[in-house]
Amino acid sequence: MLRRSLRTLHRLPFTCSSGSDTVAAHSFWSSHIELIAYWCNKHHIRDFSTSHKATSSRLYQQNELKPTLPVKDNDAIIDRIQGSTRGLKQGPPGKNLSSTEKRKFLVNTLLNLEDSKEVVYNTLDAWVAFEQDFPLASLKQALTALEKEEQWHRIVQVIKWMLSKGQGTTMRTYEQLVCALEKDNRAEEAHRIWQKKIAHDLQPVPWRFCHLMLAIYYRNNMLDKLIKLFKELEACGRKPPSKDIIRKVEDAYEMLGLKEEKKALLDKYKDLYNKPSQNDRKKGSKSKITKMNKTAG
């Protein structure tokens, strides 16, 4: 209201040309001056300065920044924090050990563990808990050490733990697992893993792995499975690399009384069958060395 009255006063002329205009202007000025006086009297108690707000704000900030604890208490808190983080800076036990020492520790631990899947899994979980990268190479070397000790059951547990972590899912790992299962008298389980993980695509499977499965079937009197796997390999265009494989299939046909199939097999692979096998070459080289030694003597 005050601003509106002031704007009106500003627009009024300062000179008047007639007496009537002077009377009108006087009445106008009187009414607006009374209005302005009323407004000022009504609001004179309000303080529009910002000094009070600024002062109260500064006091509030000073109260916030004022320490609530004595200096000695703050020092004690800092000491406690440093003490609690000192162990984290040092790292877990065994951080400064070399990979060889860690691997030896793992092998010795696994050899002395009780025969429990949960115990083995918990031990392996603790062993890799503080490793930045999964120690696959160390585990492979540990498995080799367990093979020398013929700890086939423990090898199966370690490989299954690795696979459960999504690690080491290679053809070599499954070959090692299948071999350990047969050594642990679990040929049926080895067959199930072969069927589930490998047999769906035989084309990229190395002949060494295929020969291993044929030998497992042969040693465990699983002759039907042996013949079936051999025919599947033939259907993929895989030609057996040695006559050792042909001999196992031939014996399977013989024991199952399948004489016609045996004859057809020998006719098909007669060239391969007449070649000396790797074992024959080894025997021949050994006999040759023996003859040379006798002649030299």
Side-chain angles (χ1 to χ4, degrees):
M1 181 181 293
L2 177 61
R3 290 180 180 178
R4 195 163 56 248
S5 301
L6 291 175
R7 282 199 300 269
T8 304
L9 292 174
H10 180 70
R11 287 198 297 270
L12 286 174
F14 291 96
T15 59
C16 298
S17 58
S18 63
S20 61
D21 293 334
T22 303
V23 175
H26 181 273
S27 62
F28 175 82
W29 279 96
S30 299
S31 62
H32 280 77
I33 288 171
E34 291 177 358
L35 181 61
I36 293 170
Y38 171 76
W39 190 91
C40 290
N41 290 330
K42 183 178 181 181
H43 297 281
H44 76 281
I45 59 174
R46 295 182 62 181
D47 185 8
F48 292 94
S49 66
T50 58
S51 60
H52 176 70
K53 292 184 177 180
T55 304
S56 61
S57 177
R58 284 194 296 270
L59 290 174
Y60 177 75
Q61 292 177 357
Q62 290 176 0
N63 290 334
E64 275 191 327
L65 296 176
K66 185 178 180 180
T68 57
L69 292 174
V71 177
K72 292 183 179 180
D73 293 342
N74 287 342
D75 293 339
I77 292 173
I78 293 173
D79 291 339
R80 285 201 300 271
I81 293 173
Q82 291 177 348
S84 63
T85 57
R86 192 173 295 117
L88 298 176
K89 293 179 182 178
Q90 295 175 355
K95 176 185 176 182
N96 298 322
L97 293 178
S98 65
S99 58
T100 303
E101 291 171 328
K102 289 181 180 180
R103 187 169 58 253
K104 288 181 180 179
F105 171 76
L106 175 65
V107 173
N108 292 331
T109 303
L110 291 174
L111 289 174
N112 296 322
L113 285 178
E114 61 179 288
D115 189 14
S116 170
K117 174 183 174 181
E118 289 74 16
V119 173
V120 174
Y121 277 34
N122 291 336
T123 301
L124 292 169
D125 286 337
W127 189 68
V128 301
F130 298 101
E131 297 288 340
Q132 293 182 351
D133 299 322
F134 193 85
L136 191 58
S138 297
L139 280 169
K140 290 288 187 180
Q141 294 175 356
L143 289 171
T144 302
L146 291 173
E147 282 183 346
K148 293 179 181 179
E149 298 292 332
E150 297 185 353
Q151 295 290 325
W152 309 114
H153 188 66
R154 191 52 42 84
I155 290 172
V156 172
Q157 291 174 328
V158 173
I159 293 178
K160 285 187 174 182
W161 174 83
M162 285 172 48
L163 296 175
S164 70
K165 302 294 182 182
Q167 300 291 334
T169 55
T170 62
M171 202 70 70
R172 175 57 183 160
T173 302
Y174 283 109
E175 181 181 349
Q176 198 173 15
L177 175 60
V178 165
C179 180
L181 284 170
E182 196 225 352
K183 298 284 188 180
D184 199 37
N185 300 318
R186 297 155 70 178
E188 286 291 340
E189 187 176 350
H191 166 69
R192 289 195 297 270
I193 290 177
W194 169 268
Q195 288 294 115
K196 183 178 180 180
K197 298 294 184 180
I198 309 298
H200 57 86
D201 185 11
L202 293 173
Q203 195 65 42
V205 183
W207 261 112
R208 184 182 65 182
F209 198 176
C210 297
H211 194 182
L212 172 63
M213 282 309 302
L214 292 170
I216 289 174
Y217 293 147
Y218 184 80
R219 288 190 291 265
N220 292 274
N221 200 28
M222 303 165 73
L223 303 180
D224 291 333
K225 294 181 175 61
L226 186 154
I227 294 173
K228 180 183 178 182
L229 175 56
F230 182 76
K231 288 183 176 181
E232 288 175 348
L233 290 167
E234 283 187 317
C236 293
R238 307 285 301 273
K239 185 178 180 179
S242 67
K243 66 180 181 182
D244 295 331
I245 297 173
I246 303 300
R247 283 175 176 172
K248 290 181 176 61
V249 180
E250 176 192 357
D251 290 344
Y253 281 138
E254 179 71 26
M255 286 184 281
L256 293 174
L258 303 173
K259 296 181 179 180
E260 294 295 328
E261 286 81 356
K262 174 185 174 181
K263 184 177 181 302
L265 174 74
L266 296 178
D267 290 340
K268 184 176 181 179
Y269 296 104
K270 59 183 179 181
D271 295 337
L272 180 63
Y273 201 87
N274 293 329
K275 284 183 180 181
S277 64
Q278 187 176 2
N279 292 332
D280 293 338
R281 286 195 294 269
K282 288 181 179 179
K283 291 177 182 178
S285 61
K286 287 181 180 179
S287 61
K288 185 177 180 180
I289 292 172
T290 303
K291 288 180 181 179
M292 291 176 63
N293 291 334
K294 287 181 179 180
T295 302

